[in-house]
Amino acid sequence: MVDSKGWKWEIVKNEREEIWKNPSVESYYLLNRWKTQGKKIFLDLGCGLGRHSILFGKNKFNISCFDISQEAINRTKEWAEKENLKFDYKVGDMLKLPYNDEQFDCIYCRNVISHTDTEGIKRIINELNRVMKRNGECYLTLGSKDTWGFKQESWPLIDENTRLRMEEGPEYKVPHFYVDYNLAKDLFSNFKIINIHQEIEYYEKHNGTTESYHYHILIQKI
């Protein structure tokens, strides 16, 4: 199994920082869904710069912020303090979460748990199951095997589902795990899969348009 490695948040500044402080589109749906269900104890798994912790914190959720990067935790804490919000903060590895069994009502991990290999993914999913309350929900994303990153043959193939990203930037040499629909269903077979769908994002670059495919998955502990 590969060693876990976090983003280089130190190089994300100025205009790029503002991009990473905007909550993702689906977070507003989840906010409404989980408030309606009476869920309050929220784990931001891979909190990054804190965009989702701040959103849910302002809506009276009890927030735990977790990241492998001390830089990410420091910057999330700084932002939260400016907003007069009090969160729990922990630095660690997703392979062994520093939380009690059945602690969380809801977990959000967008573009996070895929930063490992196949063995690592299975361990992380077991940890998600352990720290979620019964009937608790988790929303997560995984890279699709249809996306350009998985097709980069020049990037080292760690196992049949994982490549080591070799593009310069905050994810340089960070492992990326990819799924197809059947593999996604198999990985979460011990949960109730509420929703699973694949989304395509388009990025305009100097050499043309790049398509990025991700699976978005909402699961419930049963």
Side-chain angles (χ1 to χ4, degrees), residues 44-61:
D44 191 354
L45 184 61
C47 64
L49 300 186
R51 56 181 177 162
H52 299 121
S53 292
I54 298 295
L55 174 65
F56 281 80
K58 285 183 175 180
N59 283 273
K60 311 302 182 184
F61 281 71

Side-chain angles (χ1 to χ4, degrees), residues 30 33-34 37 39 105-109 113 124-129 132-142 184-185 187-196 216-222:
L30 294 169
R33 176 184 177 88
W34 290 339
Q37 293 178 350
K39 291 179 169 58
D105 294 320
C106 42
I107 302 175
Y108 192 32
C109 40
I113 72 166
I124 294 167
I125 292 172
N126 285 337
E127 282 292 274
L128 291 175
N129 188 50
M132 288 170 63
K133 293 182 179 180
R134 191 166 301 279
N135 297 318
E137 292 185 359
C138 175
Y139 190 96
L140 58 97
T141 62
L142 291 170
K185 286 198 302 180
L187 286 170
F188 298 102
S189 60
N190 290 331
F191 297 83
K192 177 182 178 181
I193 298 177
I194 297 171
N195 182 265
I196 179 169
H216 290 244
I217 304 169
L218 179 60
I219 56 174
Q220 181 185 67
K221 182 174 178 177
I222 54 178

Side-chain angles (χ1 to χ4, degrees), residues 7 13 24 27 41 60 66 69 125 139 158 163 206:
W7 263 48
K13 298 178 179 179
S24 59
S27 62
I41 305 176
K60 311 302 182 184
F66 180 88
S69 166
I125 292 172
Y139 190 96
I158 296 172
R163 286 196 182 275
H206 66 278

Side-chain angles (χ1 to χ4, degrees), residues 91-117:
V91 177
D93 195 315
M94 294 179 292
L95 297 170
K96 187 173 178 58
L97 295 174
Y99 300 110
N100 296 328
D101 294 356
E102 298 188 358
Q103 182 170 340
F104 296 102
D105 294 320
C106 42
I107 302 175
Y108 192 32
C109 40
R110 192 180 205 273
N111 296 351
V112 174
I113 72 166
S114 57
H115 294 159
T116 184
D117 57 12

